[in-house]
Amino acid sequence: MLKKIKIVVADDHEIYREGLRAMLEHEEDIELIGEASDGHQLIDLFENNRPDLAIVDIKMPGMNGIEVTKELKTNYNDAKIIALTMFNNDFLLSEMLNANTNGYLLKTATREEILNAIKVVYEGGVFYCRDTAAKLKKHFNQLKANNYKDEKEATFTPREIEIINLICQQLTTKEIATQLNVSERTVDSHRNLILQKIDAKNMVGIVLYAIKHELFKL
């Protein structure tokens, strides 16, 4: 039996939730198990249902998406969250990166992009939509200029550099293994060693480190 990706969606705009629901209902491997109109409802949904992934609007009443993401990441280390916003805004992107979100989508994203984001994040990767790439590069250039001048850089093997770049290209572990003609366990071993070297907790940390240190260029 096909295992379905269980998803919850939080957005205070009912029309957008309806659109997402209609789209996801046609996907055999995705199941929308709950909807919330604010951050507090999402916290309850997550605690009661433990979904595989949450799609969270940044701008919500009461408790916004940034606050929700921080709380879920604190309480659930394995929480996978895709941020959703109407605005391609430098500040919001920076705040969601600091909250350790696994993905970032504009509400103008295509169906293909949304489904790809769900797949990549569910399988442990990170996803930033095409429209935010320039802002992401600007963000890290500023960080590098202001905060990372004296940071000691880790040393990586050619294979580790290869895997870092494939992670940054938003490939899943399975896709990386196929491309490099190795087992998924081998990819996991390399990834865990990379995480140790840069003192990061997850794939998001690898992407952030890679862009800061120009191991990968958007």
Side-chain angles (χ1 to χ4, degrees), residues 58 83 85 87 89 92-93 96 103-106 127-129 132:
I58 295 178
T85 181
F87 309 102
N89 178 284
L92 292 178
L93 176 59
M96 287 308 292
Y104 193 93
L105 280 174
L106 295 183
F127 188 95
Y128 296 102
C129 65
T132 64

Side-chain angles (χ1 to χ4, degrees), residues 164-215:
I164 287 170
N165 273 270
L166 292 173
I167 289 172
C168 291
Q169 290 173 45
Q170 304 176 144
L171 270 67
T172 66
T173 298
K174 183 177 181 180
E175 289 169 338
I176 293 172
T178 299
Q179 184 156 328
L180 298 181
N181 197 28
V182 297
S183 69
E184 292 183 42
R185 182 173 294 182
T186 297
V187 175
D188 286 338
S189 296
H190 282 298
R191 184 194 62 219
N192 290 337
L193 188 55
I194 292 165
L195 289 170
Q196 290 177 20
K197 287 184 176 182
I198 64 176
D199 192 26
K201 295 180 180 179
N202 52 39
M203 304 272 261
V204 178
I206 293 176
V207 173
L208 301 187
Y209 185 95
I211 299 175
K212 289 171 192 172
H213 295 278
E214 297 185 344
L215 298 176

Side-chain angles (χ1 to χ4, degrees), residues 42-53:
L42 176 61
I43 296 292
D44 291 340
L45 263 179
F46 205 97
E47 290 177 347
N48 294 328
N49 297 282
R50 293 305 304 271
D52 297 311
L53 188 149

Side-chain angles (χ1 to χ4, degrees), residues 95-196:
E95 286 295 296
M96 287 308 292
L97 287 173
N98 290 334
N100 208 20
T101 185
N102 304 86
Y104 193 93
L105 280 174
L106 295 183
K107 288 189 176 181
T108 55
T110 64
R111 175 180 177 277
E112 180 183 5
E113 203 164 27
I114 293 171
L115 294 176
N116 192 26
I118 290 171
K119 173 189 173 187
V120 169
V121 170
Y122 172 70
E123 295 188 7
V126 292
F127 188 95
Y128 296 102
C129 65
R130 205 174 292 113
D131 291 338
T132 64
K135 290 187 180 296
L136 196 60
K137 181 177 181 180
K138 177 183 175 183
H139 174 77
F140 286 115
N141 284 341
Q142 290 173 342
L143 284 180
K144 187 179 178 187
N146 298 327
N147 302 323
Y148 291 88
K149 291 178 181 177
D150 300 323
E151 185 181 41
K152 184 178 179 181
E153 294 190 29
T155 301
F156 302 103
T157 66
R159 176 61 93 189
E160 287 168 350
I161 293 289
E162 221 174 351
I163 289 175
I164 287 170
N165 273 270
L166 292 173
I167 289 172
C168 291
Q169 290 173 45
Q170 304 176 144
L171 270 67
T172 66
T173 298
K174 183 177 181 180
E175 289 169 338
I176 293 172
T178 299
Q179 184 156 328
L180 298 181
N181 197 28
V182 297
S183 69
E184 292 183 42
R185 182 173 294 182
T186 297
V187 175
D188 286 338
S189 296
H190 282 298
R191 184 194 62 219
N192 290 337
L193 188 55
I194 292 165
L195 289 170
Q196 290 177 20

Side-chain angles (χ1 to χ4, degrees), residues 2 4 18-32 111 115:
L2 182 66
K4 293 192 175 186
E18 288 177 355
L20 269 180
R21 186 192 313 135
M23 182 190 76
L24 297 177
E25 282 176 351
H26 291 88
E27 300 302 315
E28 293 183 355
D29 57 346
I30 295 174
E31 181 182 3
L32 181 61
R111 175 180 177 277
L115 294 176

